[in-house]
Amino acid sequence: MESPQAQYEAFAQVALPEYGFSPDARVRLLNLSENGTFLVQEADRRAVLRVHRDGYHSRQAIESELNWLEALRSEAGVRTPETLRAVDGRRVVDLRVGDRYRHGVLFEWLPGVEPPTDDLVTQFEVLGGITARMHLHTRSWRRPADFTRFSWDDETTLGATPHWGRWQDGMAIGAAEQRILSAAADLVLRRLAAFGKGPDRFGLVHADMRLANLLLDGDQVYVIDFDDCGFSWYLYDLATAVSFIEDDPRVPEWTDAWVRGYRRVCDLSSADEQEIGTFIMLRRLLLVAWIGSHSTTDLAQEMGAEFTRVSCDLAEQYLSTTPHP
């Protein structure tokens, strides 16, 4: 059976002529997760090709993502990658390999590196400020009439129609794990219901706003990888910033720094701040679900049962420190 990487590489080759590259252009895999992301290089021309997974986003949803990237760049001063059009002017191209189809998008190659890890307090403060600028923009932006992105709300995270599958189907979840995680999920849902979805709390977010999705080039900061962007609570962006490291003892220090950076740009009420732990628990449960539904990936295999065990520890801590409405 053809590997997922080989499948994505085949689509990448099909995409080359769409953007004026020759078949001899160099194509190197950068990342394979929800999508396949490639560096394409020919002579002095470099670009980043994203081959979308099947069935995750519609063409219009991808176009909507690109509209937001353009608006952030032109209206909010948030540096996002520019979309490079195909030879015929399209931003989203249709790719076919045999009887399989994918969408493809080409982005400019951006300079820079991921933020250094030697001063994460400073980096989280920067991250909070950039996130606030994005949230301010979404509150006033007049979205195109055909704008469409999915939501990360109660139903599509822990409810009946979860985008990443059910946390109950995570790796190594037995009766004990089911009991503690179920209690945590129930408390998260009750607190979210009380928190509400008012316009000051719920809107268009990046939904994967981690330091890994920033690029630093001198004083310039670029924000990348908007593939999960959609409608959710604004605090969900903070929760995503500590994805996979929620158990690190420095998380409170990092989230405090994020809040400081955020408040330099945008208001964040004390009531909102008190709910940070709920959103971190929500995100952790989503990652348990993601690992279960992506159990064949290298990351899921690496995390495995240990990730579920630590998640249960976090759930117990959340239940013991969070008021039950």
Side-chain angles (χ1 to χ4, degrees):
M1 180 181 293
E2 189 178 32
S3 69
Q5 178 173 336
Q7 293 179 26
Y8 278 101
E9 287 173 344
F11 283 106
Q13 289 296 327
V14 170
L16 294 179
E18 299 282 354
Y19 295 101
F21 287 101
S22 76
D24 297 326
R26 293 174 56 194
V27 179
R28 178 168 64 88
L29 181 67
L30 297 175
N31 185 53
L32 180 60
S33 55
E34 300 299 329
N35 308 307
T37 306
F38 298 86
L39 170 63
V40 183
Q41 186 167 7
E42 187 170 29
D44 60 351
R45 183 187 179 195
R46 289 193 297 179
V48 174
L49 173 67
R50 184 174 69 189
V51 177
H52 284 260
R53 65 180 287 194
D54 185 33
Y56 196 53
H57 291 304
S58 67
R59 165 187 282 278
Q60 189 54 48
I62 299 169
E63 292 279 7
S64 297
E65 172 201 348
L66 303 181
N67 287 338
W68 189 34
L69 265 67
E70 182 177 333
L72 285 171
R73 196 166 56 250
S74 62
E75 300 172 10
V78 176
R79 188 66 172 90
T80 61
E82 183 179 351
T83 308
L84 305 179
R85 292 182 179 268
V87 173
D88 62 5
R90 288 176 297 165
R91 294 190 303 181
V92 182
V93 299
D94 301 312
L95 307 174
R96 177 179 177 179
V97 174
D99 60 353
R100 295 174 298 184
Y101 296 86
R102 297 287 189 277
H103 294 302
V105 178
L106 193 70
F107 296 101
E108 66 172 320
W109 169 263
L110 293 174
V113 296
E114 287 187 19
T117 59
D118 56 345
D119 185 9
L120 285 176
V121 170
T122 297
Q123 302 305 335
F124 269 89
E125 202 163 331
V126 170
L127 185 64
I130 294 173
T131 307
R133 287 162 60 192
M134 294 168 61
H135 291 175
L136 274 180
H137 176 262
T138 67
R139 287 170 175 161
S140 60
W141 183 43
R142 296 185 64 179
R143 296 188 295 272
D146 58 357
F147 188 93
T148 180
R149 295 294 294 181
F150 56 40
S151 294
W152 299 97
D153 58 14
D154 45 352
E155 280 299 304
T156 59
T157 56
L158 305 181
T161 56
H163 291 307
W164 286 351
R166 305 184 325 137
W167 64 261
Q168 293 93 333
D169 298 324
M171 298 182 71
I173 292 186
E177 292 79 11
Q178 173 97 13
R179 183 169 56 254
I180 187 66
L181 293 178
S182 181
D186 180 68
L187 180 56
V188 166
L189 288 172
R190 281 189 283 147
R191 292 197 66 88
L192 290 178
F195 190 67
K197 298 179 182 177
D200 58 332
R201 290 176 167 174
F202 195 97
L204 184 60
V205 301
H206 183 284
D208 196 18
M209 198 63 180
R210 297 177 292 140
L211 289 173
N213 285 328
L214 298 186
L215 291 176
L216 305 186
D217 182 36
D219 294 333
Q220 180 69 64
V221 182
Y222 302 94
V223 185
I224 62 173
D225 195 1
F226 284 71
D227 184 54
D228 282 333
C229 74
F231 296 95
S232 190
W233 295 273
Y234 291 119
L235 279 178
Y236 183 66
D237 268 345
L238 169 53
T240 67
V242 293
S243 296
F244 298 106
I245 54 173
E246 297 92 343
D247 59 315
D248 192 295
R250 295 168 293 178
V251 164
E253 184 181 15
W254 296 338
T255 57
D256 285 347
W258 188 99
V259 169
R260 284 196 305 274
Y262 193 94
R263 282 181 169 150
R264 290 197 180 99
V265 178
C266 185
D267 290 337
L268 184 73
S269 72
S270 58
D272 286 5
E273 187 176 4
Q274 291 172 7
E275 217 57 67
I276 288 173
T278 289
F279 285 98
I280 290 176
M281 192 70 243
L282 170 66
R283 175 67 171 185
R284 183 74 180 200
L285 287 165
L286 262 68
L287 294 177
V288 171
W290 187 90
I291 287 173
S293 60
H294 294 69
S295 59
T296 60
T297 65
D298 291 341
L299 179 59
Q301 292 291 329
E302 177 185 342
M303 297 292 181
E306 178 65 10
F307 190 82
T308 297
R309 186 193 67 76
V310 174
S311 298
C312 289
D313 292 341
L314 290 168
E316 289 181 339
Q317 180 181 4
Y318 173 67
L319 288 165
S320 65
T321 59
T322 305
H324 294 226

